Structure formats: structure tokens, C-alpha cells
Amino acid sequence: MGFESQIAQDQADQPHSLVLRFPAGQPLVLDSGAVLAPLTIAYQAYGLLNAERSNAVLICHALTGDQHVANAHPITGKPGWWETMVGPGKPIDTNRFYVLCANVLGGCMGTTGPASLDPATGRPYATDLPLVTIRDMVRAQAMLVDALGIETLFCVAGGSMGGMQVLEWASSFPHRVFAAMPLATATKHSAQNIAFNEVGRQAVMADPGWHGGRYREAGTRPDKGLGVARMAAHITYLSEPALQRKFGRKLQDRAAPTFSFDADFQIESYLRHQGSSFVERFDANSYLYLTRAMDYFDLAADHGGVLARAFLGTKTRFCVMSFTSDWLFPTADSRQIVHALNAAAASVSFVEIESDKGHDAFLLHEPEMLATARGFLESAARARGIA
Amino acid sequence: MGFESQIAQDQADQPHSLVLRFPAGQPLVLDSGAVLAPLTIAYQAYGLLNAERSNAVLICHALTGDQHVANAHPITGKPGWWETMVGPGKPIDTNRFYVLCANVLGGCMGTTGPASLDPATGRPYATDLPLVTIRDMVRAQAMLVDALGIETLFCVAGGSMGGMQVLEWASSFPHRVFAAMPLATATKHSAQNIAFNEVGRQAVMADPGWHGGRYREAGTRPDKGLGVARMAAHITYLSEPALQRKFGRKLQDRAAPTFSFDADFQIESYLRHQGSSFVERFDANSYLYLTRAMDYFDLAADHGGVLARAFLGTKTRFCVMSFTSDWLFPTADSRQIVHALNAAAASVSFVEIESDKGHDAFLLHEPEMLATARGFLESAARARGIA
């Protein structure tokens, strides 16, 4: 276990974050029926809550994201993952809004997850942690929001798995969400998305270092398996045209192929780097739990098979965005959301952003996305009476 | 090592096939500069060679295919992989044509590959086998064709990696190929295709059972890694719509999700089966070598960057086919072939087949593909004077 790996483990135990620890008497009842207690939530906050407590924005992070939206990451030192969107003067303006982001339930950056210690046994939960769902994540976030004395969130925003949480928030707690901004997301995973997630899980579980999930006690880490999982997933985050433009068949620091299994091509070198850097900051069991939560998410199924019922009578204003080259959550998925919202007579604006950056576009500097978010939030803030 | 695994190893050593063993004095000089000797080629033959020796059709198989085109597979017992296309009365009619298919160089069904014994050491080549290219495979096939006394092949046909060999045949030996039928293929791998192959290789090499390639001597097998590689690759062989239609979010023999990492969804169960059955019939090192050969293939680069030069002055008749839902070798790749052939003033017909079956469509019962192949071969046979 390297130095950085130890730091990653430390983040699960002692995160560089604000931390809210609920007493055992305030358990979280999960969709599976299991009861989780005590619950810890690690989160970050930016800006100031106004006197009316009306300017809180909750950011929901994606599968491999975390609560470090707009500050340097405690392990990698890299900028926050959504600094294009969140910060002073940014569309989600921390001079104006009180911005919260919690590490998701099942995560590995301080919120209760498989890397956390199971109080019943004193050893890590590992696979003893009950499976969690997107709705469970949202319920945990609601406990945080309650504890902070916030009744209604001005906005809930996020992309990918974060967008699933946004939709679940709007569905489960319609009166507590004034505005919702789900990006590059869907109300359920397709067979292909489940398939890619299953490849990732099998890669992790095939690694003998996984030890049935008990790698921390065994003193090993399934880094190779998790690296392969990340490599496969990373391909799905980028578009084929962007890969072709950026890498094509360019060779890595060499004039000709080496006739070996070295990373001759830049794309190979890039992917290997994605795999090896990921494992230093992420917990393999969390990867299993969170991909599973995404697979299980099916908002229509939770409402008798009729998606519009998830939003009946909602007063939330929605801003839905998709990206033309996103093949993990293609525009058709966003259109399903919009159709359901229309059927529920909700207020919804929808923008399909022209971009060749694939699914990851929502994390990047996409001017049309940023302008759309700015306009949507400006109008909503006026309606909400936020100065 | 299970019973079937032993059978797989036996196929590398003592294939259930016709076998041609070239003496050490007839070596194969590889693109890498290495020299391979002695060379063994395992192949299957169907039908009869006519007196003029003008009716030979060479089939080139894909990455995980083999020479068992139109007979039961010696390990799995399943029908040949292209019985839709090849057999009595089929488009490639074994009543009319003498049909050959050789296990590719680097394969694991009897042709010299990493599972073969290295005569210099008496142990398996493993990763001591020099890397082979698509052109090396074609050169080996040419040695077989020579040995059988065939000057000109009536047709060379194949899909995917087989299609790459077809193109290489037409380019390297234009006078020896009367007609060429490359299906669902490309003149080079895209960055995304290299990326998926690299994920597969890393999955194999991450498996401690791989032992740096020397698993046969170690008495282990990297089955888990190879299974993950196959699972990831298999997703790319199918289209998203077909996956959705066939599997969607259907559960596997259960009424509700189990809140576990079991294969709750049918797509998971299906993929796991694809992985576990593949490893019983395929050699992990072969998988590394053959994916590498595909990545290295770049017909334009071999001709000064101008693809049309690969076909200058060709008299071969081409029939190029692609499939609308193939995202591994999309129609744009076939159009590049057709444009180059047009620029080289070649005779070419091109059909894009409407199908939702993805890349694997070329292996399936696609009536338009079969009718097109039948018409093309009929016309070419008349021109060639084959009764």
C-alpha cells in the first residue's frame, strides 16, 4: 500500500471535510430494508446561507466524484471537479448562493461507505454494508439538509449519477426543491450501461487482491482490477470523434511501433494513466456499491411504471441538459425526462448542447452549458427573491 | 485446469484439423524482422478443387474465430461459425467452390502461436513469440495456398479482423485474388478500438494467473482476466438498441433485485456466460497477440499514407459490406475502403446492410448480406469461368 493509498484510506476515516455524525438513534432506513446507524456525512460548503435560508444549492456528485466541488482535492491536489460551474462569479455563484456538496452514501471520502468502520464489528464494513440506492443517497442528503436547518433547497444540480440524485430529490421531496438541474443523466440505466458497470465490477472482483472485499484487513488492494474497471469506464465517458481527434493512432514518444505490448499508442498510455491514478484516490468496494446503485435506479418502476407519476403536481422548475456526443446518457434519455415532466405539467426547459466531448462534457468548459445554467439560475433566483 | 481447458491446449498441439508443417528451411519472415520456423498451419477444407484450380475460396477468420467455418467445433460441439454463409447451397457454396480456412498465425487452434511449443526451447513460446501482424498472417496463408498448388484464389472473404486480412491479401497479392469480400472491417483501428483492446490486454495481464505469459508451465490460467476482456469486448460486438430490445432491464430468474452483487439482470448473466465459456476455448496469450495485430494494422501507413496506393492497378473485384448498427467498424470505415478503391479505379460494389445486430451481424442470418454475397460470387464465378 503506497503513501497515496494510505491518504485515500485516511479520507474515509478522517476526511479533510466538514463532517456530520448522526447518533445511533438517528438511523437511515435503506430501500433494502436494512438500517444504517450511526451515519456519517462528509461534505463541503461554500458561500453563506442567507437569513431566509433560501439560497442553498445542493450539488450531487457523479460515480467517481466527491464533495470537493470547488476546492483543491485533498489527495490529488487538483482543482475541484466542477470549478467551471461553481465558484465566485460562476453560474452557481458562491458569492450569492450557499453551496453544499456531500460525499454520497456508499462513497469513500468520509460519508458512510464500505471503507468505513462497522461499529458493530470494529472492522470495515466492506461487503457487509447493505446495498444502497440513489434514493438512499438522497435520504442521507436530506438528513444533512435538515440538520443544517434548511427547509427548501433553492436548487439541486448534478450530472450523470449526480443527475439521478437530482431527479430523485425532485420526486421524493418536491416541496423542498425550488429548482432542479439534472445534466447528462437518465431515469434508468440501459442494458449497455449495466453491462459496462458489470464489466467493471467483475474486473474488481477478479483481482485476488480484492479478498472478497476484505482487502483492507488482508493488507492488499485490488488496484489492478479497479484500474481495468476505470479504463473500460473511461472509454464510455469520451466520444469516439474526440478520441480520434485527440489521440487517433498517434504513437507515444516513439517513431515506430515497438512490436511489443508496451503502450505504443498515446491512447494506451492515456488509459493506463487513468487507471493507475484513479486507484490512488478511490476505494474499490465503493466502486462496486455506487455502480450497483446506478444500475438499480429506475424512477418509473418506482412509480408503477409511469415516469410522469414521479413528478405529478411538482412546482419545481427544471432545466435539463444533454450533450450531442454523450453515448452513455444520450439525448434520448433526457428527452424521456422532459416528456415525463411535460406530462406532469411541470415547468421545464431543455437544451441539447452541441459538443464532441462525450459524457464528460458536463464537467468541462462548455460555454453553452454554463450560459444556460447561469440564465436558468438567474431567473429562478429572481422568482425566489434571492438578491 | 479443467477437462475442456486440456482439450483447448490439445487443439494448439494436436488440432482436429488438417495440418501443414513447413520444414525449418521454409521460414516465415515477419514484419518485425523476426524469423519464424518451423511454421505449422492448421486449416479446414470443404468441397473439391476443380481441375483448373480456379475455384478456391479462402475464408479469413476474426479475432476469436478459427478454421472451423462449416463444421462442428472440436471443443464446443457448436456449428461452424459461418454456416449461414458457407456450405452446400449456401452463398459460398461448397458444392461449387473449394473452401479453405486456416487458423491465423498467432492463433491457438493449431497454427503456430504463443501456445505452440518453441522448438528452440521445448517450452511454449508464450511471450517469446515475436509479434505478428495482419500481413504476417496473410503471408502464412499464402504459403498454405502455395503448398496446395493454387496460384489464384477465386475469392478471399471475411469479416472484422478477417476483413483486414482480405484487404491485405488484395493489396499484397493483387494477381492472386480474383474477388475480395471484406465485411464489417476497416483499413485501420480507431483510437476507441485500440482503447477497448488495451482494456482487454490489461485485464489479462492483471490476472496473476497470467504469470508473465508462462501460465502453462506454472499450471495456472488467467481465466478471470480473459473473461473480463471478453465481457468488455462482447459489449462492442452488439448494438445498444439490440441489447435494449433483447435484455433491457429484465431480471434473471427473479421477481425483484436481490440487493446484492449477484447477476440480477439478464444482461449480467449473459455477459458472465460469454466470459466463462470463451476461456474454455481460447488462449489468453493468443488474445494479446491478435488484438495487437489488429491495432497495428494500418494499410494507408504501409503505402506512404495514401490508401488508394494499396490498390493501384488492381484487377480484383471487390464487394464491401457494412452494417448500420456496427459501432466497432462503422459504415464510415467501409466508405474509406470504397473511396480508396474508387480512386484506384477498382471494380467495387458496396452495400450498407440495415441491421440492429451490431458488429456481430456479419456472423448472423442477415438475408441482405447473404443475397448480396450470393449475387457477387455468382457474377464473379461466371467471369472466372467456374461452372
PDB file of all heavy atoms in Angstrom, chain A residues 68-88:
ATOM      1  N   HIS A  68     -15.594  17.528  -3.112  1.00  0.00           N
ATOM      2  CA  HIS A  68     -14.652  18.627  -3.362  1.00  0.00           C
ATOM      3  C   HIS A  68     -14.923  19.287  -4.709  1.00  0.00           C
ATOM      4  O   HIS A  68     -14.161  19.188  -5.658  1.00  0.00           O
ATOM      5  CB  HIS A  68     -13.216  18.118  -3.227  1.00  0.00           C
ATOM      6  CG  HIS A  68     -12.950  17.566  -1.858  1.00  0.00           C
ATOM      7  ND1 HIS A  68     -12.804  18.370  -0.749  1.00  0.00           N
ATOM      8  CD2 HIS A  68     -12.875  16.289  -1.404  1.00  0.00           C
ATOM      9  CE1 HIS A  68     -12.629  17.619   0.333  1.00  0.00           C
ATOM     10  NE2 HIS A  68     -12.673  16.343  -0.037  1.00  0.00           N
ATOM     11  N   VAL A  69     -16.048  19.971  -4.749  1.00  0.00           N
ATOM     12  CA  VAL A  69     -16.577  20.591  -5.963  1.00  0.00           C
ATOM     13  C   VAL A  69     -15.711  21.758  -6.411  1.00  0.00           C
ATOM     14  O   VAL A  69     -15.438  21.928  -7.598  1.00  0.00           O
ATOM     15  CB  VAL A  69     -18.004  21.125  -5.687  1.00  0.00           C
ATOM     16  CG1 VAL A  69     -18.538  21.882  -6.888  1.00  0.00           C
ATOM     17  CG2 VAL A  69     -18.918  19.996  -5.296  1.00  0.00           C
ATOM     18  N   ALA A  70     -15.318  22.586  -5.440  1.00  0.00           N
ATOM     19  CA  ALA A  70     -14.712  23.874  -5.801  1.00  0.00           C
ATOM     20  C   ALA A  70     -13.516  24.207  -4.918  1.00  0.00           C
ATOM     21  O   ALA A  70     -13.238  25.364  -4.626  1.00  0.00           O
ATOM     22  CB  ALA A  70     -15.770  24.978  -5.722  1.00  0.00           C
ATOM     23  N   ASN A  71     -12.854  23.136  -4.470  1.00  0.00           N
ATOM     24  CA  ASN A  71     -11.587  23.359  -3.742  1.00  0.00           C
ATOM     25  C   ASN A  71     -10.611  22.284  -4.177  1.00  0.00           C
ATOM     26  O   ASN A  71     -11.020  21.251  -4.725  1.00  0.00           O
ATOM     27  CB  ASN A  71     -11.810  23.301  -2.223  1.00  0.00           C
ATOM     28  CG  ASN A  71     -12.462  22.010  -1.765  1.00  0.00           C
ATOM     29  OD1 ASN A  71     -13.672  21.965  -1.561  1.00  0.00           O
ATOM     30  ND2 ASN A  71     -11.676  20.942  -1.615  1.00  0.00           N
ATOM     31  N   ALA A  72      -9.331  22.534  -3.900  1.00  0.00           N
ATOM     32  CA  ALA A  72      -8.305  21.561  -4.289  1.00  0.00           C
ATOM     33  C   ALA A  72      -8.608  20.219  -3.636  1.00  0.00           C
ATOM     34  O   ALA A  72      -9.026  20.151  -2.475  1.00  0.00           O
ATOM     35  CB  ALA A  72      -6.928  22.058  -3.884  1.00  0.00           C
ATOM     36  N   HIS A  73      -8.396  19.154  -4.390  1.00  0.00           N
ATOM     37  CA  HIS A  73      -8.680  17.819  -3.872  1.00  0.00           C
ATOM     38  C   HIS A  73      -7.636  17.432  -2.826  1.00  0.00           C
ATOM     39  O   HIS A  73      -6.440  17.610  -3.041  1.00  0.00           O
ATOM     40  CB  HIS A  73      -8.666  16.817  -5.026  1.00  0.00           C
ATOM     41  CG  HIS A  73      -9.258  15.493  -4.659  1.00  0.00           C
ATOM     42  ND1 HIS A  73      -8.535  14.505  -4.035  1.00  0.00           N
ATOM     43  CD2 HIS A  73     -10.516  15.006  -4.818  1.00  0.00           C
ATOM     44  CE1 HIS A  73      -9.327  13.452  -3.829  1.00  0.00           C
ATOM     45  NE2 HIS A  73     -10.527  13.742  -4.302  1.00  0.00           N
ATOM     46  N   PRO A  74      -8.064  16.916  -1.670  1.00  0.00           N
ATOM     47  CA  PRO A  74      -7.106  16.630  -0.587  1.00  0.00           C
ATOM     48  C   PRO A  74      -6.091  15.550  -0.939  1.00  0.00           C
ATOM     49  O   PRO A  74      -5.027  15.489  -0.321  1.00  0.00           O
ATOM     50  CB  PRO A  74      -7.993  16.203   0.575  1.00  0.00           C
ATOM     51  CG  PRO A  74      -9.297  15.812  -0.035  1.00  0.00           C
ATOM     52  CD  PRO A  74      -9.446  16.645  -1.265  1.00  0.00           C
ATOM     53  N   ILE A  75      -6.386  14.680  -1.896  1.00  0.00           N
ATOM     54  CA  ILE A  75      -5.403  13.644  -2.247  1.00  0.00           C
ATOM     55  C   ILE A  75      -4.596  14.062  -3.467  1.00  0.00           C
ATOM     56  O   ILE A  75      -3.369  14.025  -3.449  1.00  0.00           O
ATOM     57  CB  ILE A  75      -6.098  12.283  -2.525  1.00  0.00           C
ATOM     58  CG1 ILE A  75      -6.836  11.796  -1.280  1.00  0.00           C
ATOM     59  CG2 ILE A  75      -5.060  11.245  -2.961  1.00  0.00           C
ATOM     60  CD1 ILE A  75      -7.626  10.518  -1.485  1.00  0.00           C
ATOM     61  N   THR A  76      -5.277  14.477  -4.504  1.00  0.00           N
ATOM     62  CA  THR A  76      -4.560  14.745  -5.757  1.00  0.00           C
ATOM     63  C   THR A  76      -4.030  16.170  -5.853  1.00  0.00           C
ATOM     64  O   THR A  76      -3.139  16.445  -6.654  1.00  0.00           O
ATOM     65  CB  THR A  76      -5.499  14.529  -6.965  1.00  0.00           C
ATOM     66  OG1 THR A  76      -6.540  15.517  -6.933  1.00  0.00           O
ATOM     67  CG2 THR A  76      -6.133  13.139  -6.926  1.00  0.00           C
ATOM     68  N   GLY A  77      -4.609  17.081  -5.064  1.00  0.00           N
ATOM     69  CA  GLY A  77      -4.204  18.483  -5.168  1.00  0.00           C
ATOM     70  C   GLY A  77      -4.767  19.194  -6.391  1.00  0.00           C
ATOM     71  O   GLY A  77      -4.515  20.378  -6.598  1.00  0.00           O
ATOM     72  N   LYS A  78      -5.541  18.455  -7.195  1.00  0.00           N
ATOM     73  CA  LYS A  78      -6.116  19.066  -8.401  1.00  0.00           C
ATOM     74  C   LYS A  78      -7.304  19.964  -8.043  1.00  0.00           C
ATOM     75  O   LYS A  78      -7.902  19.813  -6.972  1.00  0.00           O
ATOM     76  CB  LYS A  78      -6.591  17.964  -9.364  1.00  0.00           C
ATOM     77  CG  LYS A  78      -5.428  17.228 -10.000  1.00  0.00           C
ATOM     78  CD  LYS A  78      -5.929  16.245 -11.057  1.00  0.00           C
ATOM     79  CE  LYS A  78      -4.765  15.472 -11.653  1.00  0.00           C
ATOM     80  NZ  LYS A  78      -5.209  14.317 -12.429  1.00  0.00           N
ATOM     81  N   PRO A  79      -7.648  20.906  -8.940  1.00  0.00           N
ATOM     82  CA  PRO A  79      -8.801  21.777  -8.673  1.00  0.00           C
ATOM     83  C   PRO A  79     -10.066  20.960  -8.459  1.00  0.00           C
ATOM     84  O   PRO A  79     -10.158  19.803  -8.883  1.00  0.00           O
ATOM     85  CB  PRO A  79      -8.917  22.613  -9.956  1.00  0.00           C
ATOM     86  CG  PRO A  79      -7.601  22.519 -10.634  1.00  0.00           C
ATOM     87  CD  PRO A  79      -7.034  21.178 -10.242  1.00  0.00           C
ATOM     88  N   GLY A  80     -11.057  21.566  -7.826  1.00  0.00           N
ATOM     89  CA  GLY A  80     -12.353  20.920  -7.637  1.00  0.00           C
ATOM     90  C   GLY A  80     -12.933  20.477  -8.962  1.00  0.00           C
ATOM     91  O   GLY A  80     -12.646  21.059 -10.002  1.00  0.00           O
ATOM     92  N   TRP A  81     -13.767  19.440  -8.906  1.00  0.00           N
ATOM     93  CA  TRP A  81     -14.210  18.810 -10.154  1.00  0.00           C
ATOM     94  C   TRP A  81     -15.217  19.630 -10.945  1.00  0.00           C
ATOM     95  O   TRP A  81     -15.463  19.357 -12.109  1.00  0.00           O
ATOM     96  CB  TRP A  81     -14.771  17.419  -9.884  1.00  0.00           C
ATOM     97  CG  TRP A  81     -15.957  17.359  -8.958  1.00  0.00           C
ATOM     98  CD1 TRP A  81     -15.922  17.150  -7.604  1.00  0.00           C
ATOM     99  CD2 TRP A  81     -17.341  17.508  -9.303  1.00  0.00           C
ATOM    100  NE1 TRP A  81     -17.202  17.171  -7.091  1.00  0.00           N
ATOM    101  CE2 TRP A  81     -18.099  17.383  -8.110  1.00  0.00           C
ATOM    102  CE3 TRP A  81     -18.035  17.730 -10.489  1.00  0.00           C
ATOM    103  CZ2 TRP A  81     -19.489  17.479  -8.071  1.00  0.00           C
ATOM    104  CZ3 TRP A  81     -19.437  17.826 -10.459  1.00  0.00           C
ATOM    105  CH2 TRP A  81     -20.139  17.700  -9.258  1.00  0.00           C
ATOM    106  N   TRP A  82     -15.820  20.678 -10.295  1.00  0.00           N
ATOM    107  CA  TRP A  82     -16.807  21.471 -11.051  1.00  0.00           C
ATOM    108  C   TRP A  82     -16.526  22.954 -10.928  1.00  0.00           C
ATOM    109  O   TRP A  82     -17.443  23.759 -10.823  1.00  0.00           O
ATOM    110  CB  TRP A  82     -18.238  21.125 -10.607  1.00  0.00           C
ATOM    111  CG  TRP A  82     -19.200  21.050 -11.751  1.00  0.00           C
ATOM    112  CD1 TRP A  82     -18.905  21.044 -13.090  1.00  0.00           C
ATOM    113  CD2 TRP A  82     -20.635  20.974 -11.685  1.00  0.00           C
ATOM    114  NE1 TRP A  82     -20.044  20.948 -13.846  1.00  0.00           N
ATOM    115  CE2 TRP A  82     -21.129  20.894 -13.006  1.00  0.00           C
ATOM    116  CE3 TRP A  82     -21.551  20.940 -10.634  1.00  0.00           C
ATOM    117  CZ2 TRP A  82     -22.497  20.801 -13.324  1.00  0.00           C
ATOM    118  CZ3 TRP A  82     -22.914  20.826 -10.935  1.00  0.00           C
ATOM    119  CH2 TRP A  82     -23.370  20.765 -12.271  1.00  0.00           C
ATOM    120  N   GLU A  83     -15.252  23.323 -10.971  1.00  0.00           N
ATOM    121  CA  GLU A  83     -14.896  24.747 -10.836  1.00  0.00           C
ATOM    122  C   GLU A  83     -15.304  25.550 -12.067  1.00  0.00           C
ATOM    123  O   GLU A  83     -15.329  26.779 -12.024  1.00  0.00           O
ATOM    124  CB  GLU A  83     -13.405  24.891 -10.515  1.00  0.00           C
ATOM    125  CG  GLU A  83     -13.072  24.277  -9.165  1.00  0.00           C
ATOM    126  CD  GLU A  83     -11.840  24.852  -8.479  1.00  0.00           C
ATOM    127  OE1 GLU A  83     -11.227  25.792  -9.007  1.00  0.00           O
ATOM    128  OE2 GLU A  83     -11.482  24.330  -7.401  1.00  0.00           O
ATOM    129  N   THR A  84     -15.626  24.861 -13.170  1.00  0.00           N
ATOM    130  CA  THR A  84     -16.185  25.596 -14.323  1.00  0.00           C
ATOM    131  C   THR A  84     -17.566  26.155 -13.974  1.00  0.00           C
ATOM    132  O   THR A  84     -17.958  27.198 -14.464  1.00  0.00           O
ATOM    133  CB  THR A  84     -16.373  24.663 -15.544  1.00  0.00           C
ATOM    134  OG1 THR A  84     -17.077  23.488 -15.127  1.00  0.00           O
ATOM    135  CG2 THR A  84     -15.034  24.276 -16.152  1.00  0.00           C
ATOM    136  N   MET A  85     -18.278  25.452 -13.111  1.00  0.00           N
ATOM    137  CA  MET A  85     -19.682  25.762 -12.826  1.00  0.00           C
ATOM    138  C   MET A  85     -19.875  26.481 -11.492  1.00  0.00           C
ATOM    139  O   MET A  85     -20.785  27.294 -11.348  1.00  0.00           O
ATOM    140  CB  MET A  85     -20.478  24.440 -12.822  1.00  0.00           C
ATOM    141  CG  MET A  85     -21.970  24.556 -12.605  1.00  0.00           C
ATOM    142  SD  MET A  85     -22.823  25.374 -13.967  1.00  0.00           S
ATOM    143  CE  MET A  85     -23.190  23.970 -15.040  1.00  0.00           C
ATOM    144  N   VAL A  86     -19.013  26.157 -10.527  1.00  0.00           N
ATOM    145  CA  VAL A  86     -19.232  26.588  -9.139  1.00  0.00           C
ATOM    146  C   VAL A  86     -18.066  27.439  -8.640  1.00  0.00           C
ATOM    147  O   VAL A  86     -16.912  27.012  -8.723  1.00  0.00           O
ATOM    148  CB  VAL A  86     -19.394  25.352  -8.214  1.00  0.00           C
ATOM    149  CG1 VAL A  86     -19.639  25.794  -6.775  1.00  0.00           C
ATOM    150  CG2 VAL A  86     -20.511  24.438  -8.707  1.00  0.00           C
ATOM    151  N   GLY A  87     -18.373  28.607  -8.100  1.00  0.00           N
ATOM    152  CA  GLY A  87     -17.336  29.467  -7.526  1.00  0.00           C
ATOM    153  C   GLY A  87     -17.779  30.916  -7.598  1.00  0.00           C
ATOM    154  O   GLY A  87     -18.875  31.213  -8.091  1.00  0.00           O
ATOM    155  N   PRO A  88     -16.939  31.821  -7.107  1.00  0.00           N
ATOM    156  CA  PRO A  88     -17.315  33.244  -7.141  1.00  0.00           C
ATOM    157  C   PRO A  88     -17.477  33.723  -8.583  1.00  0.00           C
ATOM    158  O   PRO A  88     -16.566  33.571  -9.397  1.00  0.00           O
ATOM    159  CB  PRO A  88     -16.119  33.938  -6.478  1.00  0.00           C
ATOM    160  CG  PRO A  88     -15.368  32.859  -5.753  1.00  0.00           C
ATOM    161  CD  PRO A  88     -15.617  31.590  -6.507  1.00  0.00           C
TER     162      PRO A  88
END
